[in-house]
Amino acid sequence: MTFSPNYVNSYAHFGIHETMLKDSVRTHTFRTAILDNPHLFRDKVVLDVGCGTGILSCFAARAGAARVYAVDCSHIVDQTRLIVRKNGLQDVITVIESRVEHLQLPEAVDIIVSEWMGYFLLDEFMLPSVLHARDNWLKPGGLMFPNKASVWLCGCDDAELRAEKLDFWHDVCGVDMSCMKSFSISEPAIEIVPDNHVTTTIHNVLSLDLQTCTTADLRFISPFQLRALRPNKLQAVLGYFCVSFTHGREPLQLNTGPMCDPTHWKQTIFFLDDTIPMDNNELLTGVIAVQQNKNNERDLDIALEYKFNGNMAIRCNLLRYRLR
Amino acid sequence: MTFSPNYVNSYAHFGIHETMLKDSVRTHTFRTAILDNPHLFRDKVVLDVGCGTGILSCFAARAGAARVYAVDCSHIVDQTRLIVRKNGLQDVITVIESRVEHLQLPEAVDIIVSEWMGYFLLDEFMLPSVLHARDNWLKPGGLMFPNKASVWLCGCDDAELRAEKLDFWHDVCGVDMSCMKSFSISEPAIEIVPDNHVTTTIHNVLSLDLQTCTTADLRFISPFQLRALRPNKLQAVLGYFCVSFTHGREPLQLNTGPMCDPTHWKQTIFFLDDTIPMDNNELLTGVIAVQQNKNNERDLDIALEYKFNGNMAIRCNLLRYRLR
């Protein structure tokens, strides 16, 4: 009996692709954005940045693109080539294994399609690679799919989630591990929050025009204020993102907020140190700061500071987070 | 505003500890094995290998141990020390940050407790470290907790799971990705299988006496035969493990099979190339071979060969797997 030599690399990627492709909100939104707009894709040259299994390239080819360059730096491209051939699109789609920063194309492109979003929009920091591709390969007047992105915050009172993630540590099979709570507060949870737990207004803390924004825009400090929509016990600030496709006949949005169908990005939950009882119309104000981690370029540093000035005394807290 | 420097290491470990501690089957079984046997622990010296948050050490201390050495090579030990103190056990438990292979203790120990099991028992290959500790620090006649381990196979006909993991690739939003099926076959799925999908007898392919076994025993080739308990369409061979505590007043088992309460180890599912229709009492015979991966010592290579000689022609397949 023999053993196979090298599945480890493939496996890591494989699991990710399965998760992403099974996120039907994600896949169907990109499909609609591309296939419903053949007038934009017909006879055009398209670049798919971080193509993975090549599904967006297949959509672009079926929407009438003349040529599609599908680029990914992982070994998944061996599978992508098989998929392209299996679907009879090998005359349209060229699969290229390359870091996008080292990419060499024979021509500039009319459209860039890319699904680059991570948790809280920016985690994994793939967007700079997409912007690099845009600056180097997109023709003047060329189109980005998606072309807008935004990040939003709101307050939530999911006591059950707080109990599960934080209070849990007080009694673990009879052992007091409450010091572990600080980890659960320091690191945001990635969970789906039902929309009935959203108890405040939502606040936009980042808006990107992907046609023009630069990498510098991904480092930001933004104030926010969340107004209670009803009396509630605020447990956490919740973050999520939207991306939009507005070049097509009908503008289309992929919204990962709690009021929309769940996606594999779920929501990003920043637990407060303590529960805050809020009356209707009371305000939680704060500042969020986000930057790329200096040691690991795929990591995101998030600092969140908030103040509550309602029936309670003024509170001021500094929390520090980093996503995986 | 400032950002925190170094949560990444902590985070990786933190998430794992949360998952493990929330596995109540796991934690309660160890708790019962230790706390129900104070006659074994009273005034004894205990070593906890890979202590993590130190929960097994706390159990041992509460069961009356004179001294407990809690050893882990990860930064989690900073938290472990806080937990030990919070629970007033600092006079009994000494927390040591060390690889167990480099461990220096002031004395030999009477008992080794350790939760070292990975997927399919051996994944992550922590057991050799536990055996190293046993050979170097356990007194003659000392006790291992757990002291037995075994691996089992059975057949299953979970068509829904096969559809979700394999057939899915035939039509991903209109794109044929059937070549990706080979990944789903090459790499076992880790999923919980309801016991009504088990359609064959179970077969023991590995039995370890942890008091005496050696690292060489972890490399094994074992024949198996699975007899259909009813007519069924066999989709997969399913693997799982048990560990036992038999030194106590009542023998205790932590069984991760589909007939028991689910654990975070779930079951390990090896899909067959094709579904096999089996009649009652028909046999699937095969051989499983398992070894540590040569390139990555934490990885497990698994080869599974099977033959079906019933109403169908003789089949022979060679599958190759590697767990994460």
Side-chain angles (χ1 to χ4, degrees), chain B residues 44-65:
Chain B
K44 290 300 195 306
V45 181
V46 177
L47 170 61
D48 178 356
V49 177
C51 65
T53 53
I55 194 157
L56 303 189
S57 294
C58 292
F59 294 156
R62 287 184 181 166

Side-chain angles (χ1 to χ4, degrees), chain A residues 27-38:
Chain A
T27 310
H28 281 281
T29 306
F30 274 89
R31 183 173 187 260
T32 304
I34 297 170
L35 285 185
D36 280 10
N37 293 293

Side-chain angles (χ1 to χ4, degrees), chain A residues 22-266:
Chain A
K22 283 186 172 165
D23 179 345
S24 60
V25 173
R26 165 194 177 273
T27 310
H28 281 281
T29 306
F30 274 89
R31 183 173 187 260
T32 304
I34 297 170
L35 285 185
D36 280 10
N37 293 293
H39 64 293
L40 295 178
F41 283 85
R42 193 166 301 125
D43 302 327
K44 290 300 195 305
V45 182
V46 177
L47 171 59
D48 178 357
V49 177
C51 66
T53 53
I55 194 157
L56 304 189
S57 294
C58 291
F59 294 157
R62 287 183 180 166
R67 289 178 295 288
V68 180
Y69 298 103
V71 179
D72 205 297
C73 61
S74 104
H75 296 321
I76 190 71
V77 294
D78 297 335
Q79 299 300 312
T80 315
R81 289 195 183 96
L82 294 176
I83 290 167
V84 165
R85 187 172 299 272
K86 183 82 178 178
N87 290 274
L89 300 170
Q90 65 275 15
D91 295 338
V92 178
I93 302 174
T94 305
V95 180
I96 303 169
E97 182 173 353
S98 171
R99 282 186 63 96
V100 74
E101 289 80 2
H102 305 153
L103 182 63
Q104 290 300 325
L105 292 180
E107 58 186 326
V109 304
D110 301 292
I111 299 177
I112 291 178
V113 298
S114 182
E115 196 281 83
W116 49 266
M117 297 87 75
Y119 296 128
F120 200 66
L121 188 68
L122 296 176
D123 195 43
E124 293 174 50
F125 267 94
M126 185 178 157
L127 181 53
S129 298
V130 179
L131 300 184
H132 186 281
R134 180 199 66 189
D135 294 342
N136 284 271
W137 298 107
L138 189 64
K139 291 178 190 169
L143 306 180
M144 299 293 288
F145 271 72
N147 61 312
K148 307 264 187 198
S150 54
V151 176
W152 302 78
L153 299 182
C154 61
C156 94
D157 78 344
D158 195 334
E160 202 177 312
L161 188 62
R162 191 180 175 96
E164 185 193 319
K165 302 297 280 188
L166 270 67
D167 301 340
F168 162 76
W169 296 109
H170 287 297
D171 180 356
V172 181
C173 236
V175 177
D176 183 343
M177 298 195 178
S178 41
C179 62
M180 296 291 282
K181 257 180 82 168
S182 63
F183 284 79
S184 301
I185 289 182
S186 301
E187 293 148 358
I190 306 292
E191 299 285 348
I192 288 165
V193 174
D195 66 345
N196 61 325
H197 289 301
V198 175
T199 56
T200 73
T201 53
I202 61 176
H203 195 108
N204 173 229
V205 292
L206 178 70
S207 283
L208 296 173
D209 183 337
L210 300 169
Q211 298 284 153
T212 56
C213 72
T214 68
T215 300
D217 297 325
L218 310 187
R219 180 186 174 126
F220 66 94
I221 298 180
S222 182
F224 63 86
Q225 61 175 44
L226 306 175
R227 182 178 299 278
L229 296 169
R230 53 180 163 91
N232 74 93
K233 292 193 172 123
L234 200 73
Q235 314 279 356
V237 172
L238 188 153
Y240 64 92
F241 70 85
C242 302
V243 297
S244 305
F245 306 82
T246 69
H247 293 308
R249 285 193 224 275
E250 296 201 22
L252 206 65
Q253 195 178 57
L254 173 52
N255 185 332
T256 66
M259 56 298 288
C260 299
D261 288 338
T263 70
H264 77 283
W265 290 288
K266 303 179 180 176

Side-chain angles (χ1 to χ4, degrees), chain B residues 175-186:
Chain B
V175 177
D176 183 344
M177 299 196 178
S178 43
C179 62
M180 296 290 282
K181 256 179 82 167
S182 63
F183 284 79
S184 301
I185 289 182
S186 300

Side-chain angles (χ1 to χ4, degrees), chain B residues 27 57 77 123 146 164 166 177 196 229 245 313 317:
Chain B
T27 310
S57 294
V77 293
D123 195 42
E164 184 193 317
L166 269 67
M177 299 196 178
N196 61 325
L229 296 168
F245 306 82
N317 291 281

Side-chain angles (χ1 to χ4, degrees), chain B residues 109-296:
Chain B
V109 304
D110 301 294
I111 299 178
I112 290 179
V113 298
S114 182
E115 195 282 83
W116 49 265
M117 298 86 76
Y119 296 128
F120 200 67
L121 188 66
L122 296 176
D123 195 42
E124 294 173 50
F125 267 94
M126 184 178 158
L127 182 53
S129 298
V130 179
L131 301 184
H132 186 280
R134 181 198 66 189
D135 294 343
N136 283 271
W137 298 107
L138 189 65
K139 291 178 190 169
L143 305 180
M144 300 293 288
F145 272 72
N147 62 311
K148 306 265 187 197
S150 55
V151 176
W152 302 78
L153 300 182
C154 62
C156 93
D157 77 345
D158 194 335
E160 203 176 312
L161 188 63
R162 190 180 175 94
E164 184 193 317
K165 302 296 280 186
L166 269 67
D167 301 341
F168 163 75
W169 295 109
H170 287 298
D171 178 357
V172 182
C173 236
V175 177
D176 183 344
M177 299 196 178
S178 43
C179 62
M180 296 290 282
K181 256 179 82 167
S182 63
F183 284 79
S184 301
I185 289 182
S186 300
E187 293 148 358
I190 306 292
E191 300 284 349
I192 289 165
V193 174
D195 67 344
N196 61 325
H197 289 301
V198 175
T199 56
T200 73
T201 51
I202 61 177
H203 195 109
N204 173 228
V205 292
L206 178 69
S207 283
L208 296 173
D209 182 337
L210 299 170
Q211 298 284 153
T212 56
C213 72
T214 68
T215 300
D217 296 325
L218 311 187
R219 180 187 172 124
F220 66 94
I221 298 180
S222 181
F224 64 86
Q225 62 175 42
L226 307 174
R227 182 178 299 278
L229 296 168
R230 54 179 162 92
N232 74 93
K233 292 192 172 123
L234 200 74
Q235 314 279 356
V237 172
L238 189 153
Y240 64 91
F241 69 87
C242 302
V243 298
S244 306
F245 306 82
T246 69
H247 294 308
R249 285 193 224 275
E250 295 200 23
L252 206 65
Q253 194 178 57
L254 172 52
N255 185 332
T256 66
M259 56 297 289
C260 299
D261 289 337
T263 70
H264 77 283
W265 290 288
K266 303 180 181 176
Q267 285 93 41
T268 304
I269 298 148
F270 307 96
F271 286 109
L272 307 184
D273 286 347
D274 293 300
T275 296
I276 298 181
M278 291 183 93
D279 274 341
N280 197 16
N281 279 319
E282 280 188 324
L283 279 183
L284 183 86
T285 60
V287 179
I288 187 168
V290 176
Q291 67 177 19
Q292 191 169 21
N293 181 257
K294 287 188 175 66
N295 298 319
N296 186 341

